[in-house]
Amino acid sequence: RKLTYSVMQKLENNPTTVDGVTFGKFDKSTCYSSIEDLMKNEKIEVLYPTWLPQDEKIIGVWYSTEHDAETFVFQCTDPSRGIDIELNKGLTESLKADCIEKEIAGYTVYYCYKEYNNAMQANFIYKNNLYSVKSDTEDNLFRIIENLKEIN
């Protein structure tokens, strides 16, 4: 199994427009045999999932600097699932609204059902980065968060 890591340029620097939709271009794509190899070789210092629900896999990791925000996206097999990490971003009140606060694995997590993507979503801060984790059920969401790890 191969995992692709892609770095996306800022949209305003090198946009591509197709049928009226503007996309960024990938500067670099590299394949790795595991998520651990990716994290170590690219020196990515964020939490990554060590457990996902059955039949769910990380199929790609993207890094973007769109709109002066640095974001890592761990894309799962199901596009409505995954983990988004916005670097140096706080947890806004709007992300806490209508959510339940819970301590999970030492993180103060705000979670709720998001109807627009038919998923449970949890938001929390770790080392000044905003994590948004999405999964199919509350139990799976909590288990993903409990099994996040960082490369030491």
Side-chain angles (χ1 to χ4, degrees), residues 51-121:
W51 180 90
L52 290 170
Q54 186 174 344
D55 300 326
E56 198 66 70
K57 294 181 178 118
I58 298 289
I59 59 170
V61 179
W62 291 269
Y63 172 76
S64 171
T65 56
E66 184 179 359
H67 306 297
D68 295 326
E70 292 182 87
T71 305
F72 284 99
V73 176
F74 290 82
Q75 181 64 56
C76 288
T77 311
D78 181 335
S80 67
R81 315 292 187 248
I83 301 173
D84 299 349
I85 306 162
E86 293 183 64
L87 304 183
N88 302 309
K89 173 121 185 206
L91 188 62
T92 63
E93 290 304 314
S94 65
L95 290 174
K96 296 178 187 179
D98 301 319
C99 290
I100 298 168
E101 181 179 339
K102 180 178 177 86
E103 288 292 317
I104 303 172
Y107 312 113
T108 302
V109 174
Y110 297 86
Y111 73 96
C112 53
Y113 176 76
K114 296 294 185 178
E115 195 168 315
Y116 65 87
N117 65 357
N118 193 31
M120 294 299 297
Q121 180 172 323

Side-chain angles (χ1 to χ4, degrees), residues 6-16 23-28 63-67:
S6 301
V7 177
M8 182 175 279
Q9 291 179 334
K10 289 183 180 179
L11 290 176
E12 58 269 14
N13 289 347
N14 197 359
T16 299
F23 299 92
K25 290 186 175 179
F26 290 109
D27 283 343
K28 168 181 126 175
Y63 172 76
S64 171
T65 56
E66 184 179 359
H67 306 297

